[in-house]
Amino acid sequence: ASPVMAVSAPVIGLGVALAITFAGARDVPPDQVPLPERTAKEAIARAYRPDFGRVTGFGHWFAARFTYWCAQIILSSFIFLYLVHVRDMAPAAAGRLYANLILGLGLVIIIGSIPSGFAVDSIGRRLLVILSALVAGAGILLFTFTQSGTVMLLAILIIGGATAFWNASIWALLTDIIPPEEASRSMGIA
């Protein structure tokens, strides 16, 4: 496949996401939003200094989100190296399998986002954060100890499903713990 083809899918996906956002997003007109009197320097300093004492639970939420995504990024980086150096696959073959695994991961995250929203409301945010992290960990262990490409794909699908549920629950948890007046800043930092 050419480099243009390799880049075209993400670019088209981003374009569709931007079009949907542009068409569907609504905003409050700026003249209707009361702004506090601050200098630019004060506003910038405050924007990057979350008040962890006032927004109870935000520090723990941020740490959970940070560590989960660190694990996902490490896993993503690890997969290709694992295939080449541990499984002794040729880099081209490893690259093809890696691309299929990541595509499967992304599709499961997208597809799983709908049922995960319902699960968050019925099971609860905190419990679903914990369960999805445990399921993702099980998927990582399964991936690590298998020699089968099919089982690797199954492990990635498990990780993707858990990630979909984790995403929904961690963001719902954030909206529960931050006060409305801190929503923009806290969500921006997050």
Side-chain angles (χ1 to χ4, degrees):
S2 73
V4 173
M5 291 300 292
V7 174
S8 63
V11 169
I12 290 169
L14 179 60
V16 169
L18 288 173
I20 291 169
T21 302
F22 181 74
R26 300 290 176 253
D27 202 0
V28 176
D31 59 337
Q32 294 179 10
V33 178
L35 296 175
E37 295 291 324
R38 289 193 185 104
T39 66
K41 182 179 178 183
E42 291 169 337
I44 290 171
R46 187 174 182 282
Y48 293 101
R49 194 173 349 131
D51 187 355
F52 292 118
R54 183 166 179 269
V55 182
T56 307
F58 182 76
H60 290 99
W61 179 91
F62 190 82
R65 183 169 186 266
F66 179 78
T67 54
Y68 190 91
W69 282 114
C70 282
Q72 290 289 352
I73 291 167
I74 290 167
L75 175 67
S76 178
S77 302
F78 163 80
I79 291 172
F80 179 77
L81 298 174
Y82 172 79
L83 295 173
V84 171
H85 297 291
V86 176
R87 298 279 311 276
D88 293 324
M89 292 180 77
R96 282 189 297 278
L97 180 56
Y98 174 76
N100 289 332
L101 293 172
I102 295 302
L103 177 64
L105 177 70
L107 288 173
V108 171
I109 291 172
I110 290 168
I111 293 167
S113 64
I114 303 290
S116 64
F118 292 113
V120 165
D121 292 334
S122 60
I123 295 174
R125 286 117 164 92
R126 183 180 160 93
L127 179 61
L128 204 53
V129 167
I130 294 167
L131 290 175
S132 59
L134 292 172
V135 170
I140 291 170
L141 286 175
L142 179 62
F143 183 90
T144 304
F145 293 110
T146 188
Q147 294 295 316
S148 164
T150 304
V151 177
M152 280 184 188
L153 182 58
L154 175 65
I156 289 295
L157 296 177
I158 291 169
I159 295 166
T163 300
F165 281 83
W166 183 85
N167 275 333
S169 55
I170 202 79
W171 283 105
L173 186 61
L174 177 65
T175 61
D176 288 348
I177 63 174
I178 57 173
E181 65 274 9
E182 292 288 324
S184 297
R185 187 165 63 108
S186 296
M187 303 265 297
I189 291 171

